[in-house]
Amino acid sequence: MTELLTAAQMRAMEQAAIDSGEVTGLELMERAGRGVVDAVLAWRPELATTSHRAVVLCGPGNNGGDGFVIARLLKQRGWEVEVYLYGNEAKLPPDAAENARRWREVSGTVRPWQNEWSFETPPLRHSVLGSQALYVDALFGSGLTRNLSEDDFGDLCGHLQESNRDVVQIVSVDCPSGLCLDSGRVLHSGSGPTLPAYIEADLTVTFHAPKSGHRLADGPRICHRVVVREIGLKKSCLGQDSKRPRLVDKRSRWRLDYRHSSSLAKADLRQPSLARDLRNKYDHGHSIVLTGGVGRGGAARLAARGALRIGAGLVTVGCPPAALIENACRLDAVMLRAVKGVDGLQELLSDTRITALCLGPGFGVGEACREMVAAALAAASERSRIKSGTPSRLGLVLDADALTSFADGPEALFEHLTPDCVLTPHEGEFGRLFPDILEELRAPALKGPAYSKVDAAREAAARAGCVVLFKGADTVIADPSGRCAINSAHYERSAPWLATAGSGDVLAGFITGLLARGLGAMEAAETAAWLHVECALKFGPGLIAEDLPEQLPAVFRDLGL
């Protein structure tokens, strides 16, 4: 598990370290600059052997101070270095101003951006763009709150985008300038013909911990490659160390707790309740996956296979009587049962050995689906009122058609949801249930911190009263309390072949199987999302949905399970 911080959290951690006397601001800036140089040389070892050419673009804040340190360290290695300052040197923060002074001692030159920056005349166009060169983007970093579309920064971005990236390499400090590091969105004016202005990096070097914007929205695309360098801050998580402040998001009552799930599967699947010596299949839970009529069973069968492979002791597909033969032809280890409407479902769920239900994949949209959802929610609610005796919890996964069926009146769904429910919408389904939230998320990001997918998932979970898994390459999982996780399929975990028909049905099955085994809704959703990506990575390109469950045994072996 990796904690993802916001820009404000990172600044608070740095300030707390400075205030405690652990370190000075200048020392942090020196460590950051050295960390960037080390990261560059690790990324491109050939740059360590001979002198090269660099242009360091420094901004008006402490990110610019990091840039002055980088310029000085490269100069000391024998590089030819030019430094451009965006802003007024007299207004630099104290630590950045001190590093500008130290740079002048080495070189004597800080070139003002406004007077000398030009791609049409020497020295820059010919000395830099025409030969091997490294650009260091230390302009705005994590502190950016305004869009840069309508000033001369846009000209720089345009020329860099058009440059030959075989000879021009761009390294960004903390994040590419123009990016909101909380939301992963590019800030822009939102009107007129002006395009968003941002730098697209080849390497992004950040400090202490990755930030949420590195994993969300446009962040992975324009950061390209993210390296985290330590600068000597304590490892303790925010809010868990009594000596550190409990940081709260300015826009809500919720404590920020972004997590990129990297060890959840191993931890959760080793809970004592899931030990290998359980006596029979019912001790591992019984999952039900409901499907629609004739010709609609494929999605439910995918979900059922996922639930079985992830470890549910028994999985049953419930279908209308007319679809029995079709499903029987395709199922072996997965059981099959005729379920005739609401009465049939109520009878089925009277068996308290059933511990999880998945409804929606391939079921069909309409009143029949709404009635079945209502019956399932009523059974779950009734189970939750049983205080003793037979295990009573019934976990629910509502996906696909079970979500779309409530597009005309989502409140009718929300008022009956329980904390043991998981909703798994992709963006279209999310918009049918939460149209106002999606509208805010799709609105232009005019200033930072911009409204993010994390904000959207949290708001949706609070409104629905259950766990919401908002799908995508940057899947966000949130519960009503504000707890949140980002499962990012980017960088080394990029799995674009997951964008294939049926993969979401398998994910719904994974969650259902884990609910059946006894995991809580949030833990089941987090773990399933992480395993879903791991299975795709294990298989590789050419993946189809049917392949995903079959990779779980190999993934479990890799985890030592």
Side-chain angles (χ1 to χ4, degrees):
M1 175 174 63
T2 301
E3 186 176 40
L4 303 181
L5 301 176
T6 65
Q9 284 179 315
M10 185 64 191
R11 288 193 295 271
M13 292 185 72
E14 291 174 334
Q15 191 59 52
I18 293 169
D19 292 344
S20 71
E22 296 172 16
V23 69
T24 67
L26 274 174
E27 288 171 331
L28 286 177
M29 205 168 277
E30 187 74 18
R31 294 173 188 175
R34 192 169 299 279
V36 172
V37 172
D38 290 345
V40 169
L41 298 182
W43 171 53
R44 291 283 186 267
E46 67 275 13
L47 298 179
T49 56
T50 58
S51 63
H52 294 273
R53 186 170 292 169
V55 173
V56 182
L57 310 175
C58 295
N62 284 329
N63 199 252
D66 296 341
F68 287 117
V69 174
I70 295 164
R72 171 167 47 83
L73 294 174
L74 291 176
K75 186 75 171 179
Q76 290 169 352
R77 297 185 69 90
W79 285 44
E80 181 183 339
V81 182
E82 297 174 88
V83 173
Y84 283 79
L85 175 63
Y86 187 97
N88 186 340
E89 187 172 350
K91 295 182 179 180
L92 286 171
D95 292 337
E98 172 60 19
N99 276 308
R101 185 192 66 77
R102 293 178 182 181
W103 162 251
R104 284 188 181 279
E105 288 182 351
V106 173
S107 173
T109 303
V110 176
R111 303 186 181 198
W113 174 301
Q114 290 83 350
N115 294 336
E116 296 195 34
W117 183 263
S118 172
F119 280 93
E120 303 304 328
T121 59
L124 284 176
R125 185 167 183 82
H126 298 291
S127 67
V128 176
L129 291 184
S131 61
Q132 290 281 350
L134 180 74
Y135 271 90
V136 177
D137 162 26
L139 286 165
F140 296 103
S142 64
L144 183 67
T145 59
R146 65 183 179 89
N147 80 78
L148 304 170
S149 305
E150 296 179 353
D151 61 19
D152 53 357
F153 177 75
D155 296 333
L156 165 67
C157 294
H159 283 289
L160 287 178
Q161 300 293 63
E162 296 171 3
S163 63
N164 183 350
R165 299 306 280 272
D166 291 333
V167 298
V168 173
Q169 300 287 297
I170 301 172
V171 176
S172 289
V173 180
D174 244 349
C175 69
S177 292
L179 183 74
C180 169
L181 197 48
D182 284 351
S183 66
R185 302 175 67 189
V186 174
L187 301 178
H188 59 96
S189 62
S191 62
T194 305
L195 295 175
Y198 60 91
I199 287 176
E200 189 169 334
D202 297 291
L203 174 70
T204 299
V205 185
T206 193
F207 310 109
H208 183 68
K211 314 305 184 294
S212 49
H214 293 137
R215 302 285 183 177
L216 292 170
D218 297 317
R221 176 179 62 83
I222 68 176
C223 290
H224 194 69
R225 180 185 291 103
V226 175
V227 172
V228 179
R229 290 287 166 170
E230 291 298 333
I231 54 175
L233 297 177
K234 287 184 177 179
K235 288 290 187 181
S236 50
C237 294
L238 292 166
Q240 296 179 354
D241 185 341
S242 60
K243 296 181 181 179
R244 294 193 181 276
R246 185 175 178 85
L247 300 178
V248 179
D249 183 6
K250 295 178 182 178
R251 299 186 299 282
S252 74
R253 60 182 175 83
W254 295 314
R255 178 176 171 269
L256 290 168
D257 186 27
Y258 302 102
R259 300 195 301 166
H260 171 52
S261 307
S262 59
S263 59
L264 284 170
K266 190 170 185 177
D268 289 335
L269 293 177
R270 281 183 166 170
Q271 290 182 9
S273 62
L274 307 180
R276 295 185 178 93
D277 60 353
L278 297 181
R279 292 167 298 174
N280 61 61
K281 56 182 175 287
Y282 286 105
D283 289 326
H284 290 284
H286 183 183
S287 296
I288 300 292
V289 182
L290 296 181
T291 185
V294 175
R296 291 180 177 172
R301 291 193 294 269
L302 286 170
R305 186 71 175 177
L308 189 66
R309 273 293 189 195
I310 212 161
L314 183 66
V315 179
T316 297
V317 167
C319 68
L324 278 172
I325 294 175
E326 171 194 330
N327 285 295
C329 292
R330 301 295 306 277
L331 300 174
D332 293 309
V334 173
M335 308 295 285
L336 184 61
R337 176 161 174 172
V339 178
K340 190 173 182 180
V342 170
D343 291 341
L345 179 59
Q346 290 172 336
E347 179 185 353
L348 178 63
L349 295 182
S350 65
D351 182 352
T352 55
R353 294 176 300 178
I354 294 171
T355 49
L357 171 70
C358 176
L359 204 167
F363 193 89
V365 175
E367 182 62 26
C369 187
R370 289 192 293 271
E371 290 176 352
M372 295 292 270
V373 170
L377 289 171
S381 180
E382 180 64 28
R383 295 268 200 100
S384 68
R385 288 193 287 269
I386 300 174
K387 302 300 182 182
S388 61
T390 304
S392 59
R393 176 176 170 271
L394 177 64
L396 294 180
V397 177
L398 301 181
D399 185 36
D401 294 343
L403 305 178
T404 299
S405 291
F406 287 89
D408 293 337
E411 294 77 13
L413 173 64
F414 300 156
E415 64 182 351
H416 298 293
L417 292 171
T418 72
D420 287 328
C421 296
V422 181
L423 309 184
T424 58
H426 55 56
E427 185 174 288
E429 293 157 351
F430 188 93
R432 290 168 201 140
L433 294 181
F434 310 100
D436 56 324
I437 299 177
L438 186 61
E439 182 179 3
E440 185 171 4
L441 182 61
R442 286 177 169 175
L446 305 180
K447 61 180 181 179
Y451 193 77
S452 72
K453 191 171 182 179
V454 164
D455 297 315
R458 279 182 157 153
E459 191 172 345
R463 182 181 301 178
C466 69
V467 171
V468 172
L469 184 148
F470 190 175
K471 290 188 283 197
D474 55 349
T475 291
V476 178
I477 308 132
D479 74 5
S481 74
R483 181 181 170 193
C484 183
I486 301 170
N487 188 71
S488 170
H490 295 110
Y491 308 115
E492 73 283 356
R493 297 190 81 237
S494 177
W497 43 89
L498 262 178
T500 184
S503 67
D505 303 314
V506 175
L507 174 59
F510 282 3
I511 301 169
T512 306
L514 292 174
L515 287 172
R517 295 191 65 174
L519 270 67
M522 185 70 180
E523 290 73 23
E526 289 178 321
T527 305
W530 186 82
L531 289 171
H532 194 240
V533 175
E534 288 298 296
C535 289
L537 294 172
K538 177 63 70 174
F539 188 91
L543 174 86
I544 59 174
E546 287 93 328
D547 300 319
L548 286 165
E550 309 316 308
Q551 302 308 306
L552 276 171
V555 171
F556 287 155
R557 285 193 294 272
D558 290 346
L559 291 168
L561 297 177

